[in-house]
Every structure is written in structure tokens, then in C-alpha cells.
Amino acid sequence: MAITLTSSAANRVQSFLANRGKGVGLRLGVKTSGCSGMAYVLEFADTINDEDSVFEDKNVKVIVDKKSLVYIDGTELDFVKEGLNEGFKFNNPNAQNECGCGESFNV
């Protein structure tokens, strides 16, 4: 499988990277946290490690470490605007449950 991005998410990441002026892509991972057990982690990636998996979609590289890939393989990253709120949304086929805020999940 792979990690994919909607056009909206890809445009947002490209904009962030351009404003930042450096970076090879977006690092997506998970950590133990949140009210449902696992929380998503998004950050800019300046390097790619040997053990990382790299997915390229719509000219954006998404870098995922091996431990996180088990939980998020097949995820689609979207960027949505709802009223005054905007942010990334994770469409993760592995998630069994999500908390009400959408910040954490369990598998």
C-alpha cells in the first residue's frame, strides 16, 4: 500500500515547504498518546533515514518510519477547511476507533 495525499493536502504541504525554504518533504508518524491510544505526528523532514519508507504523491514526498508504517499504511492525508477551522485530516483504513477530536486513534 502507500500513503497518499489529496490535491488540497499536497498544495498545502508544498506551500509550507516553499515558505520554509528548505526540506525534502513531510514526515508522518505516530506516537503513543491521546485519548484513543495513538496520535498522528506531522513535521517537516530535512533528511531521509535509511530505514524510512518514502512515498511520493502529487510531487510531495511523505516520509514514514518503519514502526509508524504498520499503523498508517494506506492512509490518505487531506487538508480541510470547515468554517473558521482548517487542518489536516487522516483517512486511515487501519483505525478501529477515533477520538471525537480526530487527533488520536487505535487499531
Side-chain angles (χ1 to χ4, degrees):
M1 294 188 84
I3 306 298
T4 58
L5 295 97
T6 64
S7 294
S8 177
N11 291 338
R12 191 64 168 182
V13 171
Q14 289 169 340
S15 174
F16 279 142
L17 288 171
N19 288 339
R20 187 169 182 253
K22 65 177 184 175
V24 295
L26 182 71
R27 183 171 293 281
L28 174 59
V30 297
K31 65 180 180 177
T32 303
S33 176
C35 45
S36 290
M38 306 290 289
Y40 297 104
V41 178
L42 276 178
E43 57 189 10
F44 296 112
D46 292 327
T47 59
I48 299 171
N49 302 321
D50 290 339
E51 65 277 0
D52 289 334
S53 294
V54 180
F55 303 95
E56 189 161 348
D57 189 25
K58 298 175 182 65
N59 295 317
V60 173
K61 287 182 182 166
V62 180
I63 298 107
V64 182
D65 65 89
K66 282 177 31 174
K67 291 179 185 176
S68 296
L69 187 58
V70 173
Y71 301 104
I72 59 176
D73 195 16
T75 296
E76 177 190 60
L77 183 61
D78 193 8
F79 185 79
V80 295
K81 293 183 181 185
E82 296 173 350
L84 298 175
N85 298 320
E86 63 182 24
F88 288 101
K89 180 179 177 185
F90 304 90
N91 300 313
N92 184 348
N94 304 300
Q96 299 291 321
N97 296 305
E98 293 182 346
C99 67
C101 63
E103 296 288 321
S104 64
F105 68 99
N106 66 27
V107 292

XYZ file of all heavy atoms in Angstrom:
808
model
N 0.849 -1.182 0.000
C 0.000 0.000 0.000
C 0.888 1.236 0.000
O 2.065 1.150 -0.262
C -0.932 -0.020 1.212
C -1.970 -1.154 1.170
S -3.199 -1.023 2.460
C -4.354 0.094 1.715
N 0.308 2.365 0.345
C 1.070 3.607 0.291
C 0.388 4.676 1.127
O -0.729 4.494 1.612
C 1.184 4.070 -1.159
N 1.064 5.782 1.254
C 0.490 6.977 1.853
C 0.191 7.916 0.690
O 1.054 8.159 -0.158
C 1.479 7.647 2.825
C 1.975 6.666 3.881
C 0.838 8.878 3.450
C 0.916 6.105 4.796
N -1.027 8.440 0.630
C -1.408 9.333 -0.456
C -1.891 10.667 0.105
O -2.203 10.781 1.291
C -2.513 8.712 -1.332
O -3.655 8.423 -0.508
C -2.023 7.431 -2.001
N -1.958 11.645 -0.775
C -2.429 12.978 -0.410
C -3.515 13.411 -1.377
O -3.435 13.109 -2.574
C -1.291 14.001 -0.495
C -0.131 13.832 0.455
C 0.998 13.114 -0.226
C 0.327 15.182 0.948
N -4.487 14.132 -0.865
C -5.444 14.775 -1.754
C -4.743 15.977 -2.380
O -3.683 16.409 -1.912
C -6.695 15.243 -0.987
O -6.300 16.248 -0.051
C -7.395 14.083 -0.288
N -5.329 16.544 -3.406
C -4.756 17.740 -4.030
C -4.658 18.880 -3.023
O -3.669 19.622 -3.003
C -5.603 18.178 -5.231
O -5.541 17.200 -6.243
N -5.668 19.015 -2.187
C -5.676 20.060 -1.175
C -4.508 19.903 -0.201
O -3.823 20.873 0.132
C -7.013 20.030 -0.420
O -7.035 20.991 0.608
N -4.259 18.678 0.261
C -3.154 18.428 1.182
C -1.810 18.665 0.496
O -0.909 19.279 1.078
C -3.226 17.010 1.726
N -1.663 18.188 -0.722
C -0.406 18.373 -1.456
C -0.104 19.855 -1.652
O 1.027 20.295 -1.444
C -0.471 17.651 -2.801
N -1.107 20.628 -2.026
C -0.910 22.067 -2.216
C -0.493 22.741 -0.919
O 0.368 23.616 -0.912
C -2.180 22.721 -2.762
C -2.480 22.319 -4.178
O -1.592 21.893 -4.918
N -3.741 22.423 -4.575
N -1.104 22.341 0.183
C -0.782 22.941 1.481
C 0.644 22.604 1.902
O 1.381 23.470 2.369
C -1.785 22.460 2.530
C -1.707 23.206 3.809
C -2.082 24.651 3.593
N -2.280 25.276 4.885
C -2.649 26.510 5.050
N -2.884 27.268 3.997
N -2.796 27.007 6.232
N 1.050 21.355 1.734
C 2.412 20.945 2.093
C 3.428 21.666 1.216
O 4.443 22.177 1.703
C 2.582 19.413 1.990
C 4.045 19.013 2.155
C 1.704 18.714 3.022
N 3.176 21.738 -0.089
C 4.081 22.443 -0.990
C 4.216 23.905 -0.592
O 5.317 24.466 -0.610
C 3.600 22.324 -2.436
C 3.773 20.940 -3.006
C 3.065 20.745 -4.342
O 2.152 21.492 -4.696
N 3.467 19.717 -5.076
N 3.107 24.525 -0.196
C 3.131 25.920 0.246
C 3.962 26.076 1.516
O 4.782 26.993 1.630
C 1.701 26.412 0.477
O 1.689 27.702 1.022
N 3.768 25.177 2.483
C 4.534 25.220 3.731
C 6.033 25.057 3.448
O 6.858 25.783 4.002
C 4.091 24.123 4.701
C 2.850 24.441 5.477
C 1.919 23.441 5.730
C 2.599 25.701 5.985
C 0.771 23.698 6.465
C 1.456 25.975 6.721
C 0.538 24.970 6.960
N 6.380 24.088 2.605
C 7.792 23.850 2.293
C 8.409 25.047 1.572
O 9.551 25.420 1.844
C 7.956 22.576 1.472
C 7.746 21.267 2.226
C 7.717 20.080 1.261
C 8.828 21.062 3.279
N 7.664 25.663 0.662
C 8.166 26.834 -0.054
C 8.389 27.999 0.916
O 9.421 28.678 0.850
C 7.193 27.238 -1.157
N 7.449 28.218 1.828
C 7.601 29.295 2.806
C 8.757 29.024 3.759
O 9.429 29.949 4.203
C 6.314 29.488 3.612
C 5.215 30.122 2.800
O 5.468 30.774 1.790
N 3.984 29.919 3.213
N 8.971 27.766 4.079
C 10.043 27.373 4.981
C 11.402 27.540 4.308
O 12.388 27.835 4.955
C 9.817 25.924 5.404
C 10.759 25.435 6.456
C 10.272 24.078 6.981
N 11.147 23.613 8.037
C 12.014 22.624 7.900
N 12.116 21.984 6.749
N 12.770 22.262 8.904
N 11.445 27.307 3.003
C 12.681 27.491 2.255
C 13.620 26.307 2.257
O 14.686 26.356 1.656
N 13.256 25.226 2.918
C 14.078 24.016 2.907
C 13.216 22.833 3.298
O 12.094 22.995 3.761
C 15.266 24.142 3.856
C 14.879 24.252 5.314
C 16.105 24.307 6.199
C 15.684 24.319 7.659
N 16.814 24.245 8.561
N 13.768 21.638 3.097
C 13.047 20.419 3.454
C 12.880 19.518 2.253
O 12.734 19.990 1.131
N 12.900 18.201 2.524
C 12.745 17.226 1.447
C 11.316 16.711 1.352
O 10.957 16.065 0.386
C 13.721 16.038 1.600
C 15.157 16.492 1.466
C 13.498 15.323 2.918
N 10.524 16.982 2.379
C 9.151 16.504 2.352
C 8.510 16.601 3.718
O 8.936 17.371 4.579
N 7.497 15.793 3.895
C 6.704 15.777 5.119
C 6.904 14.441 5.811
O 6.776 13.392 5.186
C 5.224 15.966 4.766
C 4.245 16.031 5.923
C 4.418 17.347 6.688
C 2.821 15.926 5.401
N 7.241 14.493 7.094
C 7.379 13.261 7.881
C 6.057 13.009 8.592
O 5.539 13.864 9.292
C 8.522 13.374 8.882
C 8.745 12.083 9.653
C 10.012 12.142 10.482
N 11.211 12.187 9.655
C 11.765 11.133 9.053
N 11.213 9.937 9.188
N 12.853 11.255 8.333
N 5.515 11.812 8.386
C 4.264 11.397 9.013
C 4.560 10.194 9.882
O 5.220 9.248 9.451
C 3.237 11.035 7.932
C 1.905 10.447 8.381
C 1.156 11.393 9.312
C 1.046 10.111 7.174
N 4.091 10.244 11.116
C 4.322 9.136 12.026
C 3.240 9.075 13.084
O 2.262 9.825 13.036
N 3.424 8.181 14.029
C 2.502 8.051 15.152
C 3.303 7.972 16.443
O 4.481 7.598 16.443
C 1.575 6.820 15.035
C 0.674 6.919 13.826
C 2.368 5.534 15.000
N 2.653 8.329 17.535
C 3.239 8.156 18.854
C 2.136 7.694 19.793
O 0.951 7.899 19.521
C 3.869 9.457 19.362
C 2.865 10.574 19.589
C 3.544 11.823 20.096
C 2.489 12.915 20.317
N 3.068 14.119 20.864
N 2.523 7.072 20.877
C 1.560 6.638 21.872
C 1.111 7.869 22.639
O 1.925 8.546 23.263
C 2.179 5.609 22.829
O 2.661 4.524 22.041
C 1.166 5.099 23.828
N -0.178 8.170 22.525
C -0.695 9.393 23.143
C -2.180 9.509 22.841
O -2.751 8.689 22.151
C 0.053 10.610 22.575
O -0.482 11.797 23.078
N -2.772 10.558 23.331
C -4.166 10.857 23.003
C -5.142 9.995 23.756
O -4.773 9.044 24.440
N -6.397 10.324 23.620
C -7.435 9.617 24.363
C -7.775 8.261 23.747
O -8.430 7.444 24.372
C -8.678 10.490 24.511
S -9.207 11.335 23.031
N -7.327 7.981 22.532
C -7.607 6.681 21.910
C -6.377 5.798 21.779
O -6.467 4.710 21.235
C -8.231 6.888 20.525
O -9.535 7.389 20.643
N -5.228 6.250 22.220
C -4.048 5.393 22.235
C -2.906 5.816 21.340
O -1.752 5.776 21.722
N -3.169 6.206 20.089
C -2.131 6.611 19.147
C -2.476 8.000 18.618
O -3.646 8.291 18.357
C -2.045 5.644 17.962
C -1.862 4.182 18.309
S -0.270 3.770 18.990
C 0.770 3.953 17.580
N -1.457 8.829 18.453
C -1.668 10.163 17.896
C -0.775 10.339 16.674
O 0.338 9.811 16.621
C -1.355 11.227 18.939
N -1.272 11.053 15.692
C -0.506 11.338 14.486
C 0.532 12.416 14.779
O 0.294 13.326 15.568
C -1.431 11.828 13.365
C -2.445 10.803 12.935
C -3.772 10.903 13.336
C -2.080 9.740 12.119
C -4.715 9.966 12.937
C -3.016 8.797 11.717
C -4.328 8.918 12.125
O -5.248 7.990 11.738
N 1.674 12.304 14.101
C 2.733 13.294 14.208
C 3.077 13.743 12.795
O 3.375 12.919 11.931
C 3.995 12.704 14.883
C 5.106 13.738 14.936
C 3.672 12.172 16.266
N 3.015 15.049 12.561
C 3.386 15.637 11.267
C 4.498 16.643 11.511
O 4.385 17.480 12.400
C 2.200 16.402 10.664
C 1.170 15.655 9.876
C 0.060 16.601 9.427
C 1.765 14.974 8.672
N 5.548 16.567 10.708
C 6.625 17.555 10.808
C 7.364 17.606 9.481
O 7.261 16.692 8.661
C 7.573 17.215 11.961
C 8.198 15.840 11.866
C 8.955 15.439 13.118
O 8.856 16.128 14.143
O 9.651 14.421 13.056
N 8.109 18.676 9.266
C 8.911 18.774 8.061
C 10.097 17.833 8.169
O 10.626 17.615 9.255
C 9.416 20.204 7.867
C 8.315 21.192 7.645
C 8.041 22.153 8.593
C 7.546 21.146 6.494
C 7.019 23.060 8.402
C 6.525 22.054 6.290
C 6.259 23.011 7.246
N 10.505 17.284 7.056
C 11.667 16.394 7.025
C 12.781 17.071 6.242
O 12.575 17.516 5.110
C 11.307 15.067 6.372
N 13.929 17.179 6.876
C 15.103 17.733 6.204
C 16.014 16.630 5.689
O 16.864 16.875 4.840
C 15.870 18.648 7.156
C 15.089 19.912 7.482
O 14.334 20.398 6.609
O 15.217 20.410 8.611
N 15.841 15.425 6.223
C 16.648 14.289 5.792
C 15.763 13.051 5.695
O 14.696 12.991 6.292
C 17.791 13.989 6.791
O 17.223 13.715 8.064
C 18.769 15.142 6.883
N 16.245 12.077 4.960
C 15.580 10.782 4.855
C 16.548 9.743 5.409
O 17.700 9.661 4.956
C 15.212 10.455 3.395
C 14.239 11.510 2.851
C 14.626 9.055 3.288
C 13.969 11.402 1.360
N 16.106 8.995 6.397
C 16.938 7.966 7.013
C 16.863 6.674 6.213
O 15.887 6.428 5.502
C 16.480 7.719 8.454
C 16.527 8.980 9.287
O 17.443 9.786 9.167
N 15.527 9.162 10.134
N 17.882 5.845 6.355
C 17.942 4.586 5.602
C 16.739 3.687 5.860
O 16.268 2.993 4.969
C 19.220 3.815 5.943
C 20.462 4.496 5.386
O 20.336 5.293 4.432
O 21.558 4.230 5.915
N 16.227 3.700 7.087
C 15.118 2.808 7.436
C 13.739 3.396 7.112
O 12.721 2.751 7.330
C 15.189 2.413 8.919
C 15.012 3.547 9.895
C 16.294 4.351 10.180
O 17.354 4.041 9.628
O 16.203 5.313 10.941
N 13.689 4.614 6.605
C 12.416 5.255 6.263
C 11.838 4.705 4.964
O 12.571 4.304 4.060
C 12.601 6.768 6.085
C 12.857 7.500 7.376
O 12.435 7.008 8.446
O 13.465 8.581 7.332
N 10.514 4.724 4.886
C 9.819 4.468 3.625
C 9.427 5.822 3.061
O 8.986 6.700 3.804
C 8.557 3.633 3.861
O 8.894 2.348 4.306
N 9.587 5.992 1.766
C 9.277 7.268 1.120
C 8.200 7.030 0.072
O 8.333 6.170 -0.790
C 10.524 7.896 0.467
C 10.166 9.214 -0.197
C 11.636 8.086 1.487
N 7.128 7.803 0.184
C 6.028 7.745 -0.768
C 5.945 9.110 -1.437
O 5.990 10.128 -0.758
C 4.711 7.433 -0.056
C 4.762 6.155 0.729
C 5.060 6.170 2.079
C 4.530 4.939 0.112
C 5.116 4.997 2.812
C 4.588 3.755 0.837
C 4.881 3.783 2.187
N 5.847 9.125 -2.743
C 5.715 10.400 -3.445
C 4.370 10.437 -4.141
O 4.005 9.525 -4.881
C 6.849 10.611 -4.448
C 6.825 12.013 -5.016
C 8.134 12.441 -5.643
O 9.151 11.755 -5.465
O 8.124 13.479 -6.318
N 3.622 11.495 -3.855
C 2.301 11.672 -4.440
C 2.104 13.151 -4.725
O 2.353 13.995 -3.850
C 1.227 11.149 -3.474
C -0.165 11.090 -4.096
O -0.255 10.987 -5.336
O -1.152 11.158 -3.348
N 1.731 13.473 -5.934
C 1.474 14.851 -6.347
C 2.672 15.756 -6.050
O 2.546 16.860 -5.550
C 0.201 15.384 -5.699
C -1.031 14.583 -6.110
C -2.279 15.027 -5.372
C -3.467 14.193 -5.753
N -3.361 12.780 -5.347
N 3.864 15.240 -6.361
C 5.135 15.955 -6.196
C 5.477 16.285 -4.752
O 6.222 17.226 -4.483
C 5.168 17.228 -7.058
C 5.126 16.913 -8.527
O 5.807 15.999 -8.994
N 4.305 17.639 -9.271
N 4.944 15.536 -3.804
C 5.276 15.701 -2.392
C 5.784 14.365 -1.867
O 5.157 13.331 -2.079
C 4.042 16.143 -1.569
C 4.358 16.152 -0.081
C 3.553 17.507 -2.020
N 6.928 14.403 -1.190
C 7.462 13.204 -0.555
C 6.921 13.122 0.865
O 6.996 14.071 1.632
C 8.987 13.242 -0.518
C 9.612 13.020 -1.865
C 11.111 13.007 -1.778
C 11.666 12.820 -3.185
N 13.075 13.115 -3.249
N 6.374 11.951 1.194
C 5.908 11.665 2.550
C 6.829 10.584 3.099
O 6.928 9.496 2.528
C 4.440 11.197 2.573
C 3.993 10.915 3.997
C 3.530 12.243 1.923
N 7.507 10.910 4.198
C 8.487 10.020 4.791
C 7.893 9.403 6.052
O 7.354 10.116 6.900
C 9.785 10.782 5.119
C 10.391 11.341 3.825
C 10.788 9.895 5.817
C 10.258 12.801 3.665
N 7.982 8.075 6.162
C 7.387 7.349 7.284
C 8.420 6.373 7.846
O 9.029 5.620 7.082
C 6.122 6.577 6.844
C 5.486 5.863 8.025
C 5.125 7.503 6.168
N 8.579 6.365 9.177
C 9.483 5.399 9.794
C 8.807 4.026 9.832
O 7.591 3.912 9.758
C 9.900 5.846 11.200
C 8.723 5.889 12.151
O 8.437 4.853 12.779
O 8.093 6.964 12.270
N 9.622 2.972 9.966
C 9.110 1.596 9.905
C 8.073 1.297 10.984
O 7.080 0.625 10.722
C 10.262 0.606 10.032
C 11.025 0.455 8.748
C 12.218 -0.413 8.717
C 12.585 -1.555 9.404
N 13.751 -2.296 9.113
N 8.286 1.783 12.189
C 7.366 1.490 13.286
C 5.993 2.116 13.036
O 4.970 1.509 13.336
C 7.933 1.990 14.612
C 9.138 1.210 15.069
C 9.680 1.748 16.370
C 10.958 1.027 16.762
N 11.546 1.596 17.973
N 5.975 3.318 12.487
C 4.705 4.006 12.235
C 3.947 3.427 11.053
O 2.717 3.410 11.039
C 4.945 5.503 11.988
O 5.473 6.129 13.129
N 4.682 2.938 10.058
C 4.043 2.462 8.826
C 3.033 1.354 9.097
O 1.994 1.278 8.435
C 5.101 2.005 7.826
C 4.588 1.635 6.437
C 3.847 2.806 5.792
C 5.741 1.179 5.549
N 3.277 0.517 10.068
C 2.355 -0.566 10.414
C 0.961 -0.013 10.734
O -0.049 -0.614 10.382
C 2.901 -1.353 11.629
C 1.900 -2.375 12.116
C 4.222 -2.007 11.285
N 0.904 1.149 11.369
C -0.358 1.729 11.818
C -1.023 2.642 10.783
O -2.219 2.885 10.855
C -0.139 2.526 13.105
C 0.425 1.701 14.221
C 1.761 1.796 14.577
C -0.375 0.790 14.904
C 2.284 1.020 15.597
C 0.140 0.011 15.926
C 1.483 0.134 16.268
O 1.996 -0.643 17.270
N -0.242 3.164 9.842
C -0.803 4.170 8.936
C -0.708 3.807 7.454
O -1.068 4.617 6.599
C -0.175 5.561 9.177
C 1.345 5.524 8.978
C -0.536 6.067 10.558
C 2.013 6.884 9.100
N -0.251 2.614 7.144
C -0.161 2.202 5.744
C -1.547 2.282 5.106
O -2.529 1.803 5.661
C 0.390 0.782 5.645
C 0.838 0.433 4.241
O 1.012 1.344 3.419
O 1.010 -0.768 3.968
N -1.636 2.908 3.954
C -2.912 3.060 3.257
C -3.627 4.357 3.592
O -4.700 4.630 3.050
N -3.046 5.178 4.452
C -3.688 6.425 4.871
C -3.663 7.468 3.764
O -2.673 7.611 3.049
C -2.991 6.987 6.135
O -3.191 6.062 7.202
C -3.539 8.347 6.532
N -4.767 8.187 3.649
C -4.850 9.351 2.767
C -4.848 10.591 3.646
O -5.642 10.706 4.576
C -6.123 9.319 1.935
C -6.272 10.556 1.056
C -7.647 10.641 0.415
O -8.638 10.692 1.174
O -7.715 10.669 -0.818
N -3.944 11.511 3.350
C -3.859 12.768 4.084
C -4.622 13.829 3.305
O -4.396 14.020 2.113
C -2.393 13.172 4.252
C -2.099 14.422 5.061
C -2.606 14.268 6.493
C -0.606 14.711 5.054
N -5.538 14.497 3.984
C -6.355 15.535 3.368
C -6.156 16.833 4.141
O -5.745 16.824 5.297
C -7.834 15.116 3.405
C -8.723 15.979 2.511
O -8.203 16.813 1.744
O -9.955 15.804 2.581
N -6.436 17.952 3.511
C -6.433 19.241 4.188
C -7.820 19.838 3.983
O -8.260 20.022 2.856
C -5.360 20.182 3.623
C -5.255 21.462 4.393
C -4.576 21.494 5.596
C -5.861 22.616 3.940
C -4.490 22.661 6.338
C -5.782 23.790 4.659
C -5.093 23.815 5.863
N -8.511 20.090 5.089
C -9.898 20.546 5.006
C -10.080 21.874 5.733
O -9.385 22.171 6.703
C -10.873 19.493 5.590
C -10.861 18.231 4.769
C -10.544 19.171 7.024
N -11.027 22.638 5.223
C -11.452 23.879 5.866
C -12.917 23.724 6.216
O -13.737 23.399 5.356
C -11.268 25.072 4.930
C -9.831 25.401 4.625
C -9.720 26.638 3.756
C -8.261 26.932 3.450
N -8.111 28.177 2.705
N -13.238 23.903 7.481
C -14.617 23.812 7.949
C -14.919 25.063 8.754
O -14.488 25.184 9.906
C -14.808 22.549 8.796
C -14.592 21.263 8.008
C -14.610 20.012 8.871
O -14.595 20.123 10.115
O -14.628 18.918 8.294
N -15.609 25.993 8.132
C -15.876 27.268 8.793
C -14.566 28.008 9.011
O -13.807 28.224 8.086
N -14.302 28.390 10.251
C -13.072 29.095 10.578
C -11.907 28.149 10.863
O -10.769 28.579 11.019
C -13.284 30.008 11.791
C -14.322 31.121 11.605
C -14.532 31.871 12.905
C -13.896 32.071 10.493
N -12.185 26.868 10.941
C -11.157 25.878 11.260
C -10.597 25.260 9.984
O -11.307 25.047 9.011
C -11.730 24.762 12.139
C -12.226 25.284 13.464
O -11.600 26.138 14.072
N -13.353 24.750 13.921
N -9.309 24.969 10.031
C -8.672 24.271 8.932
C -7.571 23.391 9.494
O -7.004 23.671 10.550
C -8.103 25.245 7.897
C -7.011 26.142 8.411
C -6.509 27.121 7.357
O -7.248 27.438 6.405
O -5.370 27.558 7.487
N -7.310 22.289 8.796
C -6.254 21.398 9.255
C -6.203 20.119 8.453
O -7.033 19.872 7.577
N -5.205 19.317 8.776
C -5.039 18.040 8.101
C -5.972 17.011 8.711
O -6.209 16.989 9.909
C -3.589 17.572 8.212
C -2.655 18.368 7.351
C -1.863 19.359 7.894
C -2.581 18.133 5.981
C -1.005 20.101 7.100
C -1.738 18.877 5.171
C -0.941 19.867 5.744
N -6.505 16.169 7.846
C -7.399 15.093 8.252
C -6.785 13.786 7.746
O -6.291 13.712 6.626
C -8.786 15.298 7.646
C -9.774 14.225 8.014
C -11.135 14.494 7.394
C -12.075 13.343 7.719
N -13.347 13.488 7.057
N -6.838 12.769 8.583
C -6.244 11.473 8.261
C -7.351 10.469 7.970
O -8.166 10.180 8.832
C -5.398 10.988 9.435
C -4.334 11.971 9.830
C -4.599 12.947 10.779
C -3.091 11.934 9.250
C -3.631 13.864 11.139
C -2.111 12.846 9.604
C -2.383 13.814 10.549
N -7.371 9.948 6.759
C -8.311 8.897 6.380
C -7.535 7.586 6.438
O -6.927 7.159 5.464
C -8.878 9.156 4.991
C -9.623 10.481 4.930
O -10.430 10.776 5.800
N -9.336 11.287 3.921
N -7.552 6.980 7.632
C -6.729 5.815 7.919
C -7.593 4.552 7.935
O -8.413 4.365 8.830
C -6.034 6.008 9.277
C -5.087 4.898 9.620
O -5.055 3.855 8.987
N -4.302 5.123 10.663
N -7.389 3.647 6.964
C -8.201 2.431 6.915
C -7.896 1.454 8.058
O -8.666 0.534 8.299
C -7.832 1.811 5.569
C -6.444 2.296 5.311
C -6.392 3.689 5.893
N -6.789 1.663 8.769
C -6.400 0.777 9.862
C -7.044 1.161 11.191
O -7.061 0.363 12.117
C -4.873 0.800 10.040
C -4.162 0.439 8.763
O -4.340 -0.641 8.240
N -3.382 1.362 8.239
N -7.549 2.375 11.295
C -8.102 2.864 12.562
C -9.422 2.168 12.875
O -10.353 2.183 12.070
C -8.299 4.370 12.506
N -9.485 1.554 14.042
C -10.715 0.905 14.502
C -11.644 1.927 15.157
O -12.847 1.866 14.982
C -10.387 -0.194 15.510
C -9.520 -1.311 14.944
C -10.248 -2.152 13.922
O -11.418 -2.451 14.079
N -9.562 -2.524 12.865
N -11.054 2.829 15.923
C -11.797 3.880 16.620
C -10.983 5.154 16.606
O -9.755 5.115 16.586
C -12.061 3.486 18.091
C -12.941 2.273 18.211
O -14.032 2.243 17.670
N -12.458 1.259 18.921
N -11.672 6.290 16.626
C -11.018 7.583 16.731
C -11.661 8.359 17.850
O -12.839 8.155 18.145
C -11.164 8.379 15.427
C -10.420 7.777 14.260
C -10.551 8.619 12.998
O -11.427 9.521 12.945
O -9.792 8.375 12.059
N -10.890 9.260 18.449
C -11.486 10.105 19.472
C -12.363 11.152 18.787
O -12.295 11.330 17.566
C -10.407 10.761 20.330
S -9.393 11.955 19.454
N -13.143 11.866 19.541
C -14.063 12.848 18.992
C -13.379 13.974 18.244
O -13.914 14.507 17.268
N -12.168 14.338 18.650
C -11.478 15.451 18.006
C -10.712 15.010 16.760
O -10.219 15.851 16.011
C -10.536 16.147 18.989
S -9.200 15.112 19.602
N -10.565 13.704 16.547
C -9.856 13.203 15.366
C -8.349 13.243 15.489
O -7.644 12.973 14.531
N -7.841 13.570 16.666
C -6.400 13.670 16.863
C -5.746 12.333 17.185
O -4.561 12.172 17.024
C -6.091 14.658 17.996
C -6.504 16.085 17.704
C -5.608 16.760 16.670
O -4.380 16.527 16.714
O -6.129 17.494 15.831
N -6.521 11.376 17.690
C -5.934 10.101 18.054
C -6.823 8.947 17.602
O -7.998 9.135 17.283
C -5.648 10.031 19.557
O -6.836 10.097 20.292
N -6.240 7.741 17.589
C -6.955 6.564 17.094
C -6.375 5.321 17.743
O -5.335 5.375 18.399
C -6.816 6.476 15.562
C -5.418 6.179 15.089
C -5.064 4.895 14.733
C -4.463 7.189 15.006
C -3.776 4.614 14.293
C -3.174 6.912 14.573
C -2.833 5.624 14.223
N -7.052 4.193 17.542
C -6.462 2.901 17.918
C -6.728 1.911 16.803
O -7.601 2.110 15.971
C -6.936 2.405 19.298
C -8.410 2.069 19.328
O -9.017 1.718 18.318
N -9.013 2.175 20.491
N -5.905 0.868 16.790
C -6.027 -0.155 15.739
C -6.358 -1.499 16.361
O -6.194 -1.722 17.522
C -4.752 -0.269 14.880
C -4.569 0.973 14.045
C -3.539 -0.537 15.726
